[in-house]
Amino acid sequence: MGAAAGKAAEDVAAASTMTRAEYRLAVAEQIILGWHCARSSGADLAGIWDSDATCTNESLLSAVDEVLLLAEIHAFPMASAARRSMQDALDVAVSCLMEEFLRLKVWDASQMEVRLGVRFAVGKFSMPAADSGVSLSLAFPTTGRISMASTIDELYASGGSQSSRVGAVTMLLDGEFFDELDLISPASLSVLHQIALRVIRAGYTKELLHAFTNAPCDVLDRFLTILGMECALETDHVSFEDAEWWTAEDMIKRWILATKLVAKALAVMQRQLQAQSCGAFDRFKNDYFMAIAKNSIFVLLRFAKNGFTSTEAPDKLVYVLEMYEALSNAAPGLLLLFTAQRVELVSRQVEVVLAKLARALRAMIGGLVARIRTADCPQTTGSAARGVGVHPLTRYAMTCVELLSPHRAALDLILANGAGESVNSLGSLVAVLVTSLERHLEEINPELSNNDDAAAAAAASRHLFLATNASYVARRAVDAGVEPLLGDGWAARRGSLIARYVASYVEACWAPVVACLETAGRKPVKVAAKFSSAFDEAYDGTRVHREIPDPALRDALRKAASEMVVPAYSAYLQNHPKLQKNVRYTSGELDRLLWELFEGEAAERNKL
């Protein structure tokens, strides 16, 4: 007992008929209750310890110790009024200790910020640029939705990949950065011992264990502010509307980064806490750590479950898939932080969130397949608008395939439980998407120019359109690395399909030109003139000057056209040698012209 408290008790005892124990209780009770009432009324009173763990209120601590001592020695009979007063004072004293514990700064993020050069704040965190005093904001960009006409480059530019600036921070955390930091405030250890010692003496260990559920953690709280939503830390509801200034993609990226940071930090925090000697608090270290770990993990789980497990929009598929993967990858390490008695609760909650995310992803995949089957694509410009280019739906479908391909392991696991219509893996999903795409494209009637009103011209344009899109699908499947997932014969079947489209195009476009040479009973000069006119019409028509960007397909079309036209024309000239000097084209000139097909606007510019 402090000198002031002891002297006051002696003075009271000398002036009254109370027992000495009653006087001591009265003095301690007056100090404790007076402080408690003042704090409850909003007065800004110092606690027992300050932020540096220095005792700044000796009289209050002595009063708490006095009540504890009186309780330990059973100073008052069980049913006495003094015993009831002592119990009330003891309750308030322990409450005071709990408040001191919750105010204590056990974890310190300041060294982390200094070493990393990052300032964390709600909604963003910033990092100074190297060798400058300029602060570089590491906020996520606002991204747009995937549109039907998007190319892969446009998707990545609009946020399809992780921000490079966030990647810079992630690379730092992938190393031994945390291991080199002292995340525990050394001065707090002695206070933890003193609080635990008094709680144990008072027999209020359950109250301390309960207080752990509200214990602050400066390190984890800094990372959770990346979510930028204080409500996520305090409530059970999170939704897109809580942060209207962000897109869903922004929120998911923030969540993924926060999850990685929290998982990394928790592992290091546990090692550092276990390495410390905290005196009487040592018996509580595991419970304390698991409480703050559970709190931070449940914030992340609640954020994911309430905000993203109900969305079914296919445009969110890749982002929610990345969230699923991040949680799946982090879960084993997070569960190792808990004892066997505590791990079941956390594991069950992780499984619930993963199951809900998987269910949402399967719904998104179903929506993606439906979109490919029924999508009405907007009008486009260039060769696609003229009926022979890559259709926007084809670009969209294969862009989705390319974005999904890096996530094969997760998709195979999710789809193994069934997404309907024999979709049970990434390979089967790609097969369904391609089949649905081809059926949809078969129903599309390509636009024709004013010169393409004949049935043969329409057929040629259609086959050229189908060949272009089939070739694009094959090329993108190879680029995405999914071709092996489609079976050994897929590439061969795809090649045969493209070859049939090429043959059908040549038959529709160039067979009528060659047929001009088969006119019996006409003068060779007129036959040659008719052939040249038909060739010019076919060659100069808009359908033959359309650009085919795929070199392999372009060469296949040229080769097939040349093999149909040039040999027949050469044979006719050989059978009519007198025409050699009176025809518009030689065989070599025809061959050269045919091998200039499908250069599009580039060919027109070269002619100029």
Side-chain angles (χ1 to χ4, degrees):
M1 180 179 69
K7 187 176 186 306
E10 292 174 357
D11 292 341
V12 174
S16 69
T17 58
M18 292 182 179
T19 65
R20 183 175 180 82
E22 290 173 337
Y23 286 135
R24 292 166 60 186
L25 174 61
V27 171
E29 186 179 28
Q30 181 180 13
I31 295 173
I32 294 172
L33 295 180
W35 178 87
H36 178 71
C37 291
R39 286 292 295 267
S40 299
S41 63
D44 186 16
L45 296 180
I48 299 176
W49 294 277
D50 62 14
S51 58
D52 295 326
T54 301
C55 184
T56 58
N57 197 333
E58 292 284 354
S59 62
L60 179 58
L61 183 59
S62 296
V64 170
D65 287 342
E66 184 76 314
V67 174
L68 288 174
L69 179 59
L70 292 173
E72 284 177 326
I73 65 175
H74 304 288
F76 308 107
M78 289 293 297
S80 65
R83 179 61 177 260
R84 291 192 294 273
S85 295
M86 183 192 69
Q87 188 61 49
D88 291 341
L90 184 61
D91 290 341
V92 176
V94 172
S95 175
C96 173
L97 291 174
M98 297 301 102
E99 185 175 340
E100 290 297 305
F101 169 74
L102 294 177
R103 291 175 61 248
L104 183 62
K105 188 176 182 180
V106 179
W107 303 97
D108 185 7
S110 61
Q111 185 182 123
M112 176 181 66
E113 293 186 341
V114 171
R115 292 284 301 277
L116 184 57
V118 173
R119 297 194 304 278
F120 291 87
V122 173
K124 68 176 183 178
F125 53 102
S126 59
M127 182 170 66
D131 300 324
S132 74
V134 179
S135 179
L136 174 63
S137 176
L138 294 184
F140 289 94
T142 300
T143 61
R145 291 192 174 190
I146 301 174
S147 65
M148 294 294 289
S150 291
T151 64
I152 190 68
D153 292 335
E154 290 169 341
L155 279 171
Y156 285 147
S158 66
S161 62
Q162 289 286 0
S163 166
S164 59
R165 293 173 294 176
V166 173
V169 175
T170 304
M171 283 191 295
L172 289 174
L173 300 182
D174 284 343
E176 303 300 321
F177 173 74
F178 273 120
D179 295 325
E180 299 173 358
L181 299 176
D182 293 324
L183 299 177
I184 296 179
S185 175
S188 68
L189 300 179
S190 63
V191 178
L192 288 174
H193 163 71
Q194 294 188 54
I195 291 175
L197 186 62
R198 289 167 172 81
V199 167
I200 294 170
R201 288 172 58 194
Y204 280 68
T205 55
K206 289 184 178 180
E207 283 72 13
L208 181 58
L209 293 174
H210 179 73
F212 291 164
T213 61
N214 298 315
C217 178
D218 188 40
V219 173
L220 297 178
D221 290 347
R222 300 297 179 93
F223 294 146
L224 292 175
T225 59
I226 293 174
L227 299 177
M229 298 168 64
E230 294 88 335
C231 62
L233 305 177
E234 302 171 358
T235 70
D236 292 327
H237 178 71
V238 180
S239 67
F240 295 147
E241 290 77 10
D242 292 325
E244 296 178 353
W245 57 92
W246 292 345
T247 66
E249 293 86 346
D250 294 330
M251 296 168 69
I252 290 174
K253 288 180 182 181
R254 290 173 181 270
W255 183 91
I256 291 172
L257 180 58
T259 299
K260 291 179 178 179
L261 290 168
V262 167
K264 181 72 173 179
L266 282 172
V268 177
M269 289 167 59
Q270 185 180 50
R271 289 198 300 269
Q272 292 189 7
L273 181 62
Q274 293 301 327
Q276 298 293 332
S277 176
C278 304
F281 192 76
D282 279 345
R283 64 181 285 186
F284 301 108
K285 283 196 299 188
N286 283 335
D287 294 298
Y288 166 65
F289 175 79
M290 285 185 285
I292 61 175
K294 181 174 76 70
N295 285 347
S296 60
I297 293 171
F298 275 30
V299 167
L300 295 168
L301 294 177
R302 187 164 60 243
F303 194 92
K305 181 177 69 174
N306 295 342
F308 301 97
T309 57
S310 60
T311 181
E312 297 183 0
D315 292 339
K316 304 296 185 294
L317 174 57
V318 174
Y319 300 104
V320 177
L321 182 57
E322 290 177 348
M323 173 178 274
Y324 178 93
E325 288 179 322
L327 181 56
S328 297
N329 294 336
L334 292 174
L335 296 179
L336 287 176
L337 301 172
F338 297 89
T339 61
Q341 294 81 4
R342 303 294 183 88
V343 72
E344 183 179 353
L345 174 62
V346 180
S347 176
R348 186 165 59 248
Q349 290 302 313
V350 170
E351 291 173 357
V352 166
V353 175
L354 286 174
K356 289 188 174 183
L357 287 172
R359 185 163 57 247
L361 286 165
R362 287 192 289 270
M364 294 179 200
I365 289 169
L368 174 61
V369 173
R371 175 177 289 184
I372 299 300
R373 286 177 175 168
T374 62
D376 293 324
C377 296
Q379 293 294 328
T380 57
T381 60
S383 57
R386 296 193 293 272
V388 300
V390 178
H391 196 276
L393 183 62
T394 307
R395 292 186 185 276
Y396 175 78
M398 297 314 295
T399 292
C400 291
V401 169
E402 189 163 329
L403 288 174
L404 292 175
S405 62
H407 309 284
R408 176 187 175 185
L411 281 170
D412 286 350
L413 180 62
I414 293 166
L415 294 174
N417 294 323
E421 305 204 11
S422 70
V423 177
N424 53 22
S425 65
L426 175 60
S428 62
L429 171 59
V430 175
V432 168
L433 290 176
V434 171
T435 301
S436 301
L437 171 66
E438 290 176 338
R439 289 175 181 172
H440 189 83
L441 293 178
E442 288 281 353
E443 299 172 359
I444 295 176
N445 293 316
E447 288 187 33
L448 300 175
S449 69
N450 295 331
N451 294 326
D452 290 336
D453 50 0
S461 185
R462 176 176 178 78
H463 292 306
L464 192 59
F465 167 77
L466 293 174
T468 301
N469 283 271
S471 174
Y472 181 85
V473 169
R475 189 172 73 254
R476 289 292 293 273
V478 172
D479 293 342
V482 299
E483 185 185 36
L485 307 180
L486 298 171
D488 296 335
W490 187 86
R493 292 192 301 272
R494 178 66 35 178
S496 297
L497 177 64
I498 295 171
R500 288 198 302 271
Y501 287 144
V502 169
S504 297
Y505 158 74
V506 171
E507 182 67 26
C509 183
W510 296 105
V513 176
V514 175
C516 294
L517 299 173
E518 300 171 359
T519 304
R522 301 190 64 181
K523 293 182 179 181
V525 173
K526 291 185 177 181
V527 171
K530 184 178 180 180
F531 171 85
S532 297
S533 177
F535 180 87
D536 289 342
E537 182 179 354
Y539 191 86
D540 293 334
T542 57
R543 66 184 179 276
V544 294
H545 281 292
R546 291 163 182 160
E547 182 178 358
I548 302 296
D550 182 4
L553 177 60
R554 187 167 61 238
D555 288 346
L557 289 165
R558 291 167 171 174
K559 183 175 184 291
S562 178
E563 289 177 348
M564 172 171 281
V565 174
V566 175
Y569 185 64
S570 296
Y572 189 83
L573 292 181
Q574 289 174 1
N575 292 333
H576 301 86
K578 293 182 180 181
L579 290 176
Q580 296 288 347
K581 297 181 179 181
N582 296 319
V583 293
R584 182 172 179 179
Y585 300 113
T586 65
S587 298
E589 289 172 336
L590 283 186
D591 188 60
R592 177 182 59 79
L593 289 172
L594 289 171
W595 279 91
E596 292 177 356
L597 288 175
F598 308 117
E599 292 291 348
E601 296 178 358
E604 296 297 332
R605 287 194 297 269
N606 291 336
K607 287 184 178 182
L608 298 176

